[in-house]
Amino acid sequence: MTSQTHATPKVKIVKKNRDMNEISNGANTVLNIVFIIAVLVTVIPIWVIIVASFTSEKALTTYGYGFWPQEWSVEAYKFLFSKGSIIGTAYKNTIIATVVGTVLCVASVGLYAYPISRADFRWRRAFTFISFFTQLFTAGTVAFYVTCRQILHIGNSIWALFLPLSFSAYWVLVMRSFYKSNVPDAVIESARIDGAGEWRTLIQIVLPLAVPGLATVALFAAISIWNNFFNCMLLVDEAKYYNLQYTIYQTLNNIRFLREMASQVGALASMVANLPSETFRMAMAMVTMGPIILAYPFFQKYFVKGLTIGAVKG
């Protein structure tokens, strides 16, 4: 009787090819660590500022900055808003200037950049050169002052807070490139074939595709106008037109002046000793950067949208 040997069937192992865009586990771990560190580097200073703004001046001077207040206090915010109407008026002027100036900047940049991005516009090179030339040379502070005061007559008015910042040659060139790369000529030609005019093509076809670029312009224009105090210092003399940054800047200088005078005049020593200085700086930082931080989530959703995907059908 013979025994039969049964051969074990060989199982072929197929190795799965890794996708070219797939990240390995090691690289993914490293990237997560890098992003966590980046988030901590960003969040920790803001948290320290918040804690310092709610710490008493004496405790902050004694113990220094920390992650938790040694002694809770809202004296810095009370002092900041103690003048009530001045801070309220400054906030109102800053909000109006930021909103109106941002709208004007987006409109002017968008309308200037669109024609020079189209190949059928005859004077596109001339207007592109004009926009580019203004970035190479500046007229200086004296010419800026004379133009705003004597030609535009916007001195001592709320117009001085935003009108000089309502146009940017740099963002014109950026939006020109954005129009050329994200608004296909085929879409515009299709609209013209269907009988749409230039304004209808711009409003109904081009602008919806250009929302991410315009949102970027709006965000940086809003930040520039919100943080600007030089125009207010140069062009505004009346307190009722001061913006928030210049009002707080003046208040901080007044505190510094009083502290310097207190060392020479004994009667001021007891009064000045209770004035917040470092905590006031932190409260000032929170008040000025708060609205801008809240604006980021609104604009963020436009940065990641690919609005031109599928716009051109074969």
Side-chain angles (χ1 to χ4, degrees):
M1 187 174 181
T2 60
S3 60
Q4 295 180 353
T5 304
H6 298 282
T8 304
K10 295 182 178 180
V11 180
K12 186 177 181 181
I13 300 176
V14 180
K15 187 177 181 180
K16 184 180 178 181
N17 294 328
R18 183 182 294 273
D19 188 3
M20 294 180 61
N21 296 325
E22 186 179 355
I23 301 177
S24 63
N25 294 332
N28 190 31
T29 303
V30 173
L31 289 176
N32 288 333
I33 294 175
V34 171
F35 286 133
I36 291 174
I37 295 175
V39 170
L40 292 177
V41 170
T42 304
V43 173
I44 288 177
I46 298 178
W47 174 251
V48 171
I49 291 174
I50 296 174
V51 170
S53 67
F54 287 100
T55 305
S56 65
E57 185 74 18
K58 182 179 179 181
L60 187 65
T61 305
T62 304
Y63 302 103
Y65 295 90
F67 293 101
W68 196 255
Q70 295 290 337
E71 182 180 342
W72 284 92
S73 175
V74 292
E75 290 300 322
Y77 290 96
K78 288 183 179 180
F79 181 78
L80 181 61
F81 293 99
S82 60
K83 297 182 180 180
S85 60
I86 297 178
I87 295 295
T89 301
Y91 239 118
K92 181 190 69 174
N93 294 338
T94 304
I95 292 175
I96 293 175
T98 302
V99 173
V100 178
T102 300
V103 173
L104 288 178
C105 185
V106 171
S108 60
V109 169
L111 292 176
Y112 194 109
Y114 174 66
I116 63 177
S117 68
R118 303 266 56 92
D120 55 352
F121 180 53
R122 181 179 179 182
W123 303 101
R124 67 183 186 279
R125 294 184 178 178
F127 282 96
T128 302
F129 176 77
I130 292 174
S131 179
F132 175 73
F133 185 79
T134 58
Q135 299 185 70
L136 301 178
F137 304 97
T138 58
T141 304
V142 175
F144 174 77
Y145 178 84
V146 172
T147 301
C148 293
R149 285 276 191 173
Q150 300 182 7
I151 299 178
L152 298 178
H153 300 286
I154 61 174
N156 283 328
S157 68
I158 197 171
W159 291 88
L161 303 180
F162 64 87
L163 191 60
L165 302 172
S166 61
F167 182 80
S168 173
Y170 170 77
W171 287 110
V172 165
L173 299 180
V174 172
M175 281 303 302
R176 169 181 171 271
S177 301
F178 186 88
Y179 281 135
K180 295 181 68 174
S181 59
N182 291 274
V183 182
D185 293 335
V187 174
I188 298 178
E189 292 176 1
S190 299
R192 291 176 178 174
I193 292 174
D194 292 337
E198 291 294 339
W199 283 105
R200 187 174 181 181
T201 301
L202 174 64
I203 296 174
Q204 296 186 357
I205 305 298
V206 176
L207 292 185
L209 297 176
V211 168
L214 295 176
T216 304
V217 175
L219 177 61
F220 284 95
I223 293 174
S224 177
I225 297 174
W226 181 272
N227 292 329
N228 183 271
F229 75 95
F230 177 76
N231 290 350
C232 184
M233 180 178 64
L234 187 66
L235 302 174
V236 178
D237 300 327
E238 301 179 15
K240 64 180 180 179
Y241 297 121
Y242 285 172
N243 61 4
L244 181 63
Q245 286 70 24
Y246 188 67
T247 300
I248 296 177
Y249 170 77
Q250 274 199 329
T251 306
L252 193 62
N253 285 339
N254 293 337
I255 293 176
R256 186 183 299 112
F257 175 76
L258 289 176
R259 287 187 176 276
E260 292 176 356
M261 292 296 297
S263 60
Q264 302 177 9
V265 182
L268 294 175
S270 59
M271 180 177 59
V272 175
N274 296 324
L275 290 179
S277 178
E278 293 299 322
T279 56
F280 176 77
R281 293 172 185 265
M282 302 301 107
M284 175 184 65
M286 291 304 305
V287 168
T288 55
M289 74 178 179
I292 295 299
I293 292 179
L294 297 177
Y296 269 103
F298 174 77
F299 291 100
Q300 179 64 28
K301 62 181 181 180
Y302 294 105
F303 297 157
V304 296
K305 284 185 177 180
L307 296 181
T308 59
I309 297 178
V312 181
K313 300 296 182 179

